[in-house]
Amino acid sequence: GAAGGLLELRPADPSLGHVAEVVGVETGPLDTLLKGGLTPVVAPIGSIAGRLYNVNADAVAGAIAGARGGRLVLCTDVPAVLRAGQPVSELDLDAAQQMLDSGEADAGMRPKLRAAIAASGAGCEVIIIDGRSTAQVEAALIGRSVGTAIVAPGIGAVREVS
């Protein structure tokens, strides 16, 4: 993230130390690597005035996906987004935001939903899956229906049902 000016950041709450939030993405460095046949690996670290800052990895992924388009697969340690303890296969942006606002989504799911909302709102296909499951990861990468799709209103999930 810090190399090549990929991330535009602003400092977060100073009480958190050297933590920043993503406010923009310069896709040029990624485009150059991809055109060269390379697979970029982005560390969730950025620079402001020469000082390194930690950035939430989900936020970085969501911002990059939103800037570049395409598909974003967010991995977590549960089979899908849970509502009332039950996995849901699809959430629209309003339902995802309501989960954040009400506190229904907690802990590590909060940054994932924020990233999913940003990327889906920018037109990306977004799914949240259990990254511990090889079967879920493989299914997600070939477009099968696994985990929870986060979809913008009027778009719906474009997923093959397995």
Side-chain angles (χ1 to χ4, degrees), residues 16-35:
L16 297 174
H18 292 109
V19 176
E21 299 170 346
V22 180
V23 295
V25 176
E26 172 51 56
T27 61
L30 293 176
D31 296 338
T32 299
L33 292 170
L34 291 166
K35 286 177 187 169

Side-chain angles (χ1 to χ4, degrees), residues 51-157:
R51 175 169 252 168
L52 294 179
Y53 284 78
N54 183 38
V55 187
N56 179 277
D58 294 320
V60 171
I64 290 172
R68 293 200 81 250
R71 177 193 282 167
L72 174 62
V73 178
L74 293 164
C75 297
T76 189
D77 61 356
V78 292
V81 175
L82 304 176
R83 295 200 92 171
Q86 298 299 312
V88 293
S89 62
E90 184 175 303
L91 286 173
D92 66 24
L93 296 181
D94 290 336
Q97 186 62 53
Q98 287 171 358
M99 288 184 71
L100 290 170
D101 293 345
S102 72
E104 182 179 3
D106 62 2
M109 191 56 71
R110 295 184 66 77
K112 289 190 183 348
L113 283 176
R114 284 193 295 268
I117 290 167
S120 183
C124 294
E125 177 185 355
V126 180
I127 57 174
I128 299 175
I129 66 165
D130 186 344
R132 304 168 303 171
S133 166
T134 303
Q136 273 206 9
V137 172
E138 288 174 354
L141 293 176
I142 60 172
R144 289 210 173 113
S145 180
V146 293
T148 303
I150 308 298
V151 297
I155 295 175

